[in-house]
Amino acid sequence: MFKKLSLALCVLTISLSCKSQDVAVTDTIIDSYADNPKLVVGIVVDQMRYDYLTRFYKKYGDGGFKRMVSEGFNCKNNHYNYVPTYTGPGHASIYTGTTPKDHGVISNFWYDKEEKKQVYCAGDDSVAAVGTESVVGQMSPHRMLTTTFPDENRLFTQMRGKTIGVSLKDRGAILPAGHTANAAYWFHGKDQGHWISSTFYMTDLPQWVQDFNISDQAESYLKVWNTLYNIETYTESGSDLNTFEGGFNGKETATFPYDLGMLKETNWGFDILKATPYGNSLTTDFAIAAINGEQLGQDEITDVLTLSYSATDYIGHNFGVNSKEIEDAYIRLDKDLERLFNYLDTKVGKRNYTVFLTADHGAINVPAYLQSVKIPSGYINTLERQETFEAFLNKTYGTTEIVENISNNQIFLNREKVTALGLDLEAVQQRILNEQINYKNISKAYTATTMSSVNFSSGIEALLLKGFNQKRSGDIILVNDPGFISYMPTGSTHGSAMNYDTHVPLLFFGKGIKHGQTFHKTEITDIAPTMSALLGISFPNASIGQPLGFILDLENE
């Protein structure tokens, strides 16, 4: 009896001691996070050229872009350090701290040499849609090969810190949030107008998302889009009526105003919102609902919200970078940012959150407009180039089957056919390069062999190298002349190594950020290690960027 009592007392003492230690350990964990921001918000504005920040600056209020500049740090010479400058690679590179060479997202779509078909950067047939029956919900980050800084924050906090991704575009929500995200949500327009996800994250939408979807918030934006201010004051953009803009089906001219309710049926239903500033307003509404619904930033362990504003990209592609529509979109986005920051001030606390804002790429001025002001530019005659190339292949090799695919300015060879014809792969690559370099508006060409064996450290060649993935990229890489694009004659596009595509804003503000500005060159891959340094966590596993120590103000926090 005495032995049993002694044993019981011993077990009780040990148990109480362990519980005491657990409490102490938990307290230590919480204390270790106390100096970190409660919430990090990463904002990517799709297709935001750097000069949108300066060109429209006088039109902005004090609470959006100007607040970030006046309270935070402005990196004025921030560039992409690789090509191609597309949405998928851009979002992946911002959050992984590396380039397509390592993270593997070499484009939005690319030809998969193993599957022998075109694949989508976020497509995943192994998952099901949540919130819709459409295949647009079959998405995940599985094609991205490396971690993001939100992944590293999840690992560091033993999965206590949440990560939520939000964007109109699936890839804009999924790739930044990473592999361990609690959720990523994107907008399904058409006849639905709902925010959706996939079974990669969940089996059912949370109640707060269901409530948002049935609130008819999306439908409330199917109204007239007119300029926020008098159109005569929009002196930072071109004339409203011109020949350089696309417009909407069902409206004769690309001029204000646009009755979205009337135009909805001929412009893919709710998807019309994506090409208006209201798409960004809806994204802000949903982001605020996510902060509240997921209780982001409500404890001492850092959460991450990845937020991508996609409407600016759709508007730029449709109307061009010098349009009244673009100017109005950024004036209205500034208001949405102010609304978001005011909510964060109230919900999380002014000195409890950190924000960065950048873009996934810039955009070229409409070449037709550039031509009208005598700047070298134009459009690639893709059909003529293809016919000439096919004639060369038939004459040289007796078949066109030696080429398997041409996409993203890359030529993919059919390596089995090369072997069957008894040809040397490197010799074929070089001979095709020698042919292509003679074509109109091709300024440079490189083989995969060169990209795999030469370490370029400067110029466009260095950018090509960082965008080249040995397993996924093509056999010949082509570079078009500056100012020349393969695109429709209206609207803007992107993808090149030129400054109009690589130079994008980079703003930081909030907890742990100094006030200042610099013309020192920064690169897009510096963002993730900077945020990791701020949080005291591991850098993403393939990060090549450098922490921007000059923006961090850790001593005064």
Side-chain angles (χ1 to χ4, degrees), residues 245-316:
E245 302 176 14
F248 294 114
N249 296 326
K251 191 173 191 302
E252 188 174 341
T253 60
T255 55
F256 285 102
Y258 300 95
D259 189 332
L260 304 183
M262 290 184 61
L263 294 169
K264 171 188 172 185
E265 296 306 318
T266 54
N267 292 273
W268 310 285
F270 282 99
D271 278 337
I272 194 173
L273 294 177
K274 295 178 180 180
T276 77
Y278 300 139
N280 287 335
S281 298
L282 180 62
T283 302
T284 305
D285 298 338
F286 190 79
I288 289 172
I291 294 166
N292 183 58
E294 297 291 342
Q295 290 296 289
L296 300 179
Q298 297 306 298
D299 59 29
E300 300 302 319
I301 300 176
T302 303
D303 299 321
V304 179
L305 172 66
T306 71
L307 176 59
S308 180
Y309 285 108
S310 305
T312 43
D313 184 67
Y314 291 106
I315 296 168

Side-chain angles (χ1 to χ4, degrees), residues 31 88 90 133 149 154 193 201 298 320 337-338 351 363 372 382 384 403 413 444 463 505 517:
D31 287 344
E133 299 298 320
F149 86 78
R154 290 274 286 159
Y201 306 99
Q298 297 306 298
L337 290 175
E338 181 175 6
R351 300 303 296 170
S372 74
T382 306
E384 178 184 275
V403 171
L413 296 180
K444 295 178 175 65
L463 275 64
Q517 58 184 354

Side-chain angles (χ1 to χ4, degrees), residues 364 367 370-371 373-378 482-484:
I364 187 174
L370 295 177
Q371 287 175 331
V373 293
K374 302 180 181 179
I375 292 176
S377 56
F484 281 79

Side-chain angles (χ1 to χ4, degrees), residues 193-500:
H194 285 176
W195 292 84
I196 65 172
S197 191
S198 81
T199 53
F200 181 84
Y201 306 99
M202 64 194 73
T203 54
D204 296 291
L205 293 176
Q207 190 60 50
W208 69 265
V209 179
Q210 296 181 47
D211 291 342
F212 190 94
N213 283 339
I214 63 174
S215 69
D216 294 328
Q217 189 69 4
E219 190 167 5
S220 72
Y221 288 114
L222 291 172
K223 55 186 180 180
V224 174
W225 173 25
N226 208 340
T227 53
L228 185 63
Y229 305 129
N230 187 326
I231 195 169
E232 298 301 323
T233 68
Y234 282 30
T235 55
E236 296 78 15
S237 48
S239 60
D240 192 29
L241 179 61
N242 58 72
T243 59
F244 312 123
E245 302 176 14
F248 294 114
N249 296 326
K251 191 173 191 302
E252 188 174 341
T253 60
T255 55
F256 285 102
Y258 300 95
D259 189 332
L260 304 183
M262 290 184 61
L263 294 169
K264 171 188 172 185
E265 296 306 318
T266 54
N267 292 273
W268 310 285
F270 282 99
D271 278 337
I272 194 173
L273 294 177
K274 295 178 180 180
T276 77
Y278 300 139
N280 287 335
S281 298
L282 180 62
T283 302
T284 305
D285 298 338
F286 190 79
I288 289 172
I291 294 166
N292 183 58
E294 297 291 342
Q295 290 296 289
L296 300 179
Q298 297 306 298
D299 59 29
E300 300 302 319
I301 300 176
T302 303
D303 299 321
V304 179
L305 172 66
T306 71
L307 176 59
S308 180
Y309 285 108
S310 305
T312 43
D313 184 67
Y314 291 106
I315 296 168
H317 279 294
N318 191 357
F319 297 97
V321 307
N322 199 45
S323 62
K324 300 291 188 195
E325 287 79 1
I326 272 290
E327 180 166 0
D328 192 65
Y330 277 89
I331 291 171
R332 290 176 180 271
L333 175 59
D334 183 62
K335 300 293 185 186
D336 284 320
L337 290 175
E338 181 175 6
R339 182 160 61 97
L340 174 65
F341 297 157
N342 288 342
Y343 181 78
L344 290 169
D345 289 344
T346 302
K347 182 71 174 180
V348 184
K350 276 191 174 183
R351 300 303 296 170
N352 290 330
Y353 66 90
T354 305
V355 179
F356 70 80
L357 182 148
T358 189
D360 55 350
H361 51 73
I364 187 174
N365 237 307
V366 179
Y369 167 70
L370 295 177
Q371 287 175 331
S372 74
V373 293
K374 302 180 181 179
I375 292 176
S377 56
Y379 299 90
I380 306 298
N381 189 328
T382 306
L383 181 59
E384 178 184 275
R385 189 183 284 184
Q386 179 184 338
E387 290 175 347
T388 303
F389 185 46
E390 288 180 352
F392 160 80
L393 293 175
N394 280 318
K395 180 180 178 180
T396 307
Y397 301 108
T399 179
T400 60
E401 293 179 4
I402 200 167
V403 171
E404 203 162 69
N405 178 266
I406 302 176
S407 56
N408 296 315
N409 292 319
Q410 299 179 40
I411 298 173
F412 294 80
L413 296 180
N414 182 333
R415 298 195 174 195
E416 291 82 5
K417 190 70 174 179
V418 170
T419 301
L421 293 173
L423 301 171
D424 178 74
L425 178 64
E426 291 184 30
V428 173
Q429 290 176 348
Q430 189 61 46
R431 191 162 188 182
I432 288 177
L433 182 154
N434 292 339
E435 169 70 11
Q436 288 279 333
I437 199 65
N438 293 317
Y439 292 173
K440 188 177 180 180
N441 301 130
I442 289 183
S443 65
K444 295 178 175 65
Y446 300 90
T447 67
T449 300
T450 299
M451 286 290 124
S452 301
S453 58
V454 179
N455 186 23
F456 297 109
S457 59
S458 63
I460 289 177
E461 292 78 9
L463 275 64
L464 290 169
L465 184 60
K466 286 188 174 69
F468 178 82
N469 182 282
Q470 281 184 288
K471 295 195 72 171
R472 294 182 174 180
S473 296
D475 289 275
I476 297 95
I477 315 297
L478 307 174
V479 179
N480 291 321
D481 285 337
F484 281 79
I485 60 174
S486 179
Y487 200 63
M488 64 187 76
T490 57
S492 298
T493 193
H494 49 86
S496 79
M498 297 296 105
N499 283 323
Y500 48 72

Side-chain angles (χ1 to χ4, degrees), residues 69-146:
V69 172
S70 63
E71 295 182 17
F73 205 98
N74 183 4
C75 297
K76 296 183 174 184
N77 189 22
N78 183 62
H79 287 263
Y80 275 84
N81 55 349
Y82 67 86
V83 283
T85 41
Y86 295 137
T87 297
H91 283 78
S93 298
I94 291 165
Y95 285 88
T96 64
T98 191
T99 68
K101 180 179 181 179
D102 297 314
H103 62 58
V105 182
I106 63 171
S107 188
N108 295 333
F109 295 85
W110 66 85
Y111 181 73
D112 189 295
K113 292 185 283 190
E114 293 184 5
E115 297 184 38
K116 304 295 184 185
K117 66 177 184 179
Q118 200 85 353
V119 297
Y120 177 55
C121 62
D124 189 348
D125 293 340
S126 72
V127 301
V130 175
T132 182
E133 299 298 320
S134 171
V135 294
V136 297
Q138 291 185 276
M139 303 289 168
S140 86
H142 77 108
R143 286 195 167 92
M144 185 170 65
L145 305 175
T146 63

